[in-house]
Amino acid sequence: MKKTAGRKNIDPDNPPLTEKQLAQLRKGIPNTRAIRQRLNMTQIEFAQAFGFSLASIRDWEQGRHAPDVNTIAYLRTIGLKPQEMLRIRKEARLAPA
């Protein structure tokens, strides 16, 4: 691995993403805050309603972390059909194990 100024041990087969690449990736991530606000929910209400941790909601909304691929798909579905997702979660909780 080569070293560059300010960066340690850059893997030549997996270089860091450029700012442009990062911006393109962020475009595909649903805006959790916008979805939550459209549903008129607090962070706590949104987390409880859809099965997320409050810390995750905060991290996503503040840009500290991005959701994983499966969570991105789930957030997109919540954004498109929130009432349906709430109904499915409620039914799943009531179903016998």
Side-chain angles (χ1 to χ4, degrees), residues 27-46:
K27 286 181 187 177
I29 298 172
N31 185 329
T32 307
R33 178 178 286 131
I35 295 168
R36 178 180 61 75
Q37 289 176 338
R38 195 172 68 243
L39 297 174
N40 199 30
M41 292 180 159
T42 65
Q43 288 180 334
I44 293 170
E45 290 169 337
F46 189 82

Side-chain angles (χ1 to χ4, degrees), residues 13-30:
D13 295 325
N14 189 18
L17 296 175
T18 65
E19 287 300 319
K20 183 177 178 180
Q21 291 170 319
L22 286 170
Q24 288 175 328
L25 284 175
R26 288 184 189 115
K27 286 181 187 177
I29 298 172

